[in-house]
Amino acid sequence: MTRPMPPKSRGPLAVNVCRLSQVRRVPRRYFIISRSLKDARPVQVPKPSIDFKQYCAQPDLYKRNCIERNLEGQSNHPRRIAHLYEEWKQLNTQLNVLRSRRNDLQRSITSQPNNKVTDGPSSAPILEWARDLRTSIAKIEHEAGSIQSTMEDLAAQQPNLTSATSPRGSEPLIVGYINEEQSHTSRSHTVSGDHGVLSHVDIGSKLELLDFAAAGTTSGWGWYYLLNEAALLEQALVQYALSVALKKGWKIVSPPSMVYSHVANACGFRPRDANGEQQVYTIQQARKDELKPSHSLAGTAEIPLATMKAGQSIPEEDLPLKVIGTSRCYRAEAGARGADGKGLYRVHEFTKVEMFAWTHPNPKAEDRTDIGTNSPADTVFDEMMSIQKEILRSLGLHCRILEMPSTDLGASAARKQDIEAYFPSRLNKHKGWGEVTSTSNCTDYQSRRLGTQVARKPSSKGAIWPYTVNGTAMAVPRILAALLENGWNAEDESVAIPEVLWPWMAGTRVIRKKS
């Protein structure tokens, strides 16, 4: 709401007719209401810097990308963004003209002796012109702002462009194996009932390692207690994964598990998936705090690690910047997928060790799909995969490595490789395989939305957005389950602990029945 003009002002007040026309005093606050993300945005988190020109240049590419990812509902957004961007540019051209006229008027006023507009009839046209300019500028600014918010909202729902390396469709490509000599073909495939293979739930019960019933009373379905050696195994797995990465020069971080909902969205984690299934736990706020930024429990340390550099510029010489952190993770959708929800395989809360890195962008920055070709991000991607393979190989788990298809990529990922371990208890469901690690190249998707740039020399022009890469070093519940099932000795009902974990097991080498 603009202030009414005072009658026939004199002196400097007349000069300020244009100069202060857009200034509006509001109560100070520490957050911004973001229409694009339907949430309050913390003031210290920068606005996303989406490359709208790419949607104008290649709307059909982005449309096809949505279809390939099975996101039909978003497939028309790229062309709409391109259309809105042209409207936005036209409005900004008009704004520049009007602002130039306003500046000319201001200069003409300040050129008068003592910055005065002469009293009398001759001053009326100038003041009326100033008022008209102010009204026109405010109107167009509002229209341009509304269009920009709509573009940001549409762009926030768009996935990253899919890498040329990723298979199209729904079938992953097997690219390798770990501990192939331990292939499950030599194993007994009996899930239960004889001295063959038991599920980790049965083994955990026999050896007093897991308690799902008590957790059901305490927290509900999808939670668990780790008891005795299982609790030690959790700590041993975390420490071992950290030790492998630290020896390779990674920096350790202990991140928070609660984050602003806005930054979770910026990292590509939406509150609900394409099927409307709840994915994220959002913290309920008191009525008096409803307009403040909401918080969510992070589903992975990838979110708080990515946000460490939000709104910052990373010195070019510090790239690649590689960190690893342990956190508790929270997944609202756990237990909602039938048999996968039984036991430790899919739970609501778990401990995970996550690797995260910022790298130089692809030299072919104009082609975000050209990854997997020895760019800086690909080098770090391969390093993460190497760490995962080393950990799983030393734990004695038989695994396969998959190049994931377009329909299995998260919103932020351009490329993803999963490693699946063999679980005897899953033989009748998924041929025994279950995901235990994942590595993703997110290109500049997250850095643009979090305002993370590469610091450049003052003489350099244009912003550079680093690529981000993330990967699982250790997802404790699934690895623990795989160790119990694959290490089970039916003859004496025991589980052998891998040697690499012995330093953190308080002298325990084999888990046996309690006397």
Side-chain angles (χ1 to χ4, degrees):
M1 179 177 178
T2 55
R3 298 179 179 179
M5 293 294 299
K8 284 197 177 181
S9 303
R10 298 181 62 88
L13 185 59
V15 179
N16 292 337
V17 166
C18 292
R19 184 178 300 164
L20 299 180
S21 62
Q22 297 180 64
V23 175
R24 181 184 176 195
R25 296 187 179 277
V26 296
R28 187 178 180 184
R29 62 184 180 186
Y30 299 94
F31 55 93
I32 299 170
I33 301 299
S34 170
R35 288 175 291 181
S36 63
L37 291 177
K38 305 297 187 293
D39 196 7
R41 176 169 57 86
V43 72
Q44 66 269 28
V45 176
K47 291 188 67 175
S49 181
I50 309 299
D51 189 359
F52 294 117
K53 293 180 181 178
Q54 286 288 328
Y55 291 99
C56 294
Q58 305 179 85
D60 291 336
L61 171 64
Y62 283 87
K63 178 178 181 177
R64 185 171 69 252
N65 184 61
C66 288
I67 294 173
E68 290 175 346
R69 290 190 177 223
N70 200 26
L71 298 172
E72 294 280 352
Q74 285 92 297
S75 62
N76 291 323
H77 291 179
R79 192 162 291 283
R80 188 179 175 202
I81 291 173
H83 176 73
L84 290 171
Y85 184 70
E86 291 302 320
E87 287 187 27
W88 180 82
K89 285 201 305 182
Q90 292 176 11
L91 289 173
N92 274 274
T93 299
Q94 297 176 37
L95 272 177
N96 290 335
V97 172
L98 293 175
R99 286 167 178 163
S100 177
R101 291 176 182 173
R102 180 191 61 189
N103 294 338
D104 289 343
L105 176 60
Q106 186 171 319
R107 281 192 293 270
S108 69
I109 293 175
T110 56
S111 66
Q112 298 293 326
N114 299 323
N115 293 343
K116 291 182 179 181
V117 177
T118 307
D119 287 335
S122 61
S123 66
I126 296 177
L127 296 178
E128 184 178 355
W129 187 20
R131 284 193 294 269
D132 291 343
L133 278 175
R134 178 184 60 192
T135 301
S136 298
I137 289 173
K139 180 181 178 181
I140 296 177
E141 282 180 337
H142 177 76
E143 292 178 13
S146 178
I147 289 176
Q148 183 168 349
S149 292
T150 302
M151 289 192 297
E152 289 175 357
D153 185 25
L154 294 173
Q157 301 173 47
Q158 287 290 296
N160 202 346
L161 284 178
T162 306
S163 161
T165 310
S166 304
R168 268 47 178 181
S170 58
E171 290 299 318
L173 176 66
I174 301 175
V175 296
Y177 288 90
I178 301 171
N179 293 327
E180 192 167 5
E181 68 279 1
Q182 299 180 23
S183 173
H184 61 275
T185 55
S186 62
R187 296 174 179 268
S188 167
H189 298 332
T190 307
V191 175
S192 61
D194 59 12
H195 293 293
V197 179
L198 296 178
S199 74
H200 67 274
V201 177
D202 298 322
I203 296 168
S205 177
K206 281 178 176 288
L207 301 182
E208 298 180 31
L209 302 175
L210 307 173
D211 191 340
F212 294 97
T217 302
T218 304
S219 306
W221 180 262
W223 275 272
Y224 55 94
Y225 282 99
L226 298 181
L227 310 176
N228 303 310
E229 293 92 343
L232 282 176
L233 270 174
E234 176 176 49
Q235 302 305 316
L237 289 168
V238 168
Q239 292 303 316
Y240 175 57
L242 290 174
S243 70
V244 172
L246 292 175
K247 289 175 183 177
K248 299 180 185 298
W250 289 66
K251 298 180 179 180
I252 190 168
V253 174
S254 182
S257 292
M258 189 180 294
V259 298
Y260 282 123
S261 300
H262 179 87
V263 298
N265 277 335
C267 289
F269 292 84
R270 309 289 290 179
R272 295 183 181 274
D273 63 14
N275 300 318
E277 185 178 339
Q278 185 72 26
Q279 292 185 299
V280 178
Y281 284 114
T282 301
I283 305 302
Q284 185 174 4
Q285 295 174 270
R287 184 180 296 274
K288 64 182 180 64
D289 296 329
E290 285 180 347
L291 292 180
K292 292 183 179 180
S294 66
H295 285 85
S296 298
L297 295 175
T300 168
E302 172 191 345
I303 300 170
L305 291 177
T307 314
M308 277 179 64
K309 299 297 180 182
Q312 299 182 38
S313 294
I314 303 174
E316 196 166 4
E317 60 272 17
D318 289 349
L319 297 176
L321 179 57
K322 302 178 293 186
V323 297
I324 184 169
T326 305
S327 72
R328 296 292 279 181
C329 303
Y330 300 87
R331 305 283 176 90
E333 85 282 6
R337 301 184 185 178
D340 274 357
K342 187 177 181 180
L344 292 176
Y345 190 79
R346 195 178 297 279
V347 292
H348 288 300
E349 180 182 1
F350 59 97
T351 300
K352 183 156 75 83
V353 184
E354 183 79 4
M355 297 177 285
F356 193 91
W358 297 264
T359 79
H360 285 92
N362 192 333
K364 298 179 181 179
E366 70 281 359
D367 186 0
R368 293 185 178 86
T369 67
D370 186 21
I371 62 176
T373 54
N374 299 319
S375 72
D378 296 316
T379 300
V380 174
F381 184 97
D382 292 341
E383 182 181 352
M384 288 183 180
M385 290 296 299
S386 176
I387 290 173
Q388 293 171 349
K389 293 173 188 177
E390 178 180 343
I391 292 171
L392 295 170
R393 185 180 298 112
S394 63
L395 292 175
L397 296 176
H398 174 48
C399 305
R400 67 177 185 176
I401 306 164
L402 305 176
E403 188 74 49
M404 300 309 291
S406 56
T407 56
D408 209 328
L409 300 178
S412 61
R415 179 195 181 196
K416 183 174 73 150
Q417 282 193 352
D418 284 357
I419 299 181
E420 295 183 336
Y422 176 69
F423 292 79
S425 69
R426 293 172 62 82
L427 181 64
N428 296 331
K429 309 180 189 75
H430 304 281
K431 297 182 180 180
W433 300 109
E435 177 197 339
V436 291
T437 74
S438 179
T439 302
S440 300
N441 184 339
C442 298
T443 65
D444 60 0
Y445 187 95
Q446 293 175 330
S447 58
R448 281 182 170 275
R449 285 159 174 75
L450 292 171
T452 305
Q453 297 188 33
V454 179
R456 307 182 68 190
K457 297 178 181 178
S459 58
S460 301
K461 294 183 179 179
I464 292 182
W465 308 95
Y467 280 14
T468 59
V469 188
N470 65 81
T472 311
M474 180 61 62
V476 169
R478 292 187 181 183
I479 295 296
L480 198 156
L483 290 176
L484 292 180
E485 294 191 14
N486 289 283
W488 173 246
N489 185 328
E491 292 183 0
D492 63 0
E493 297 190 324
S494 67
V495 173
I497 297 172
E499 186 175 349
V500 292
L501 302 180
W502 290 359
W504 301 281
M505 288 301 298
T508 302
R509 303 289 183 266
V510 178
I511 304 175
R512 304 183 186 277
K513 271 191 171 183
K514 311 300 180 288
S515 57

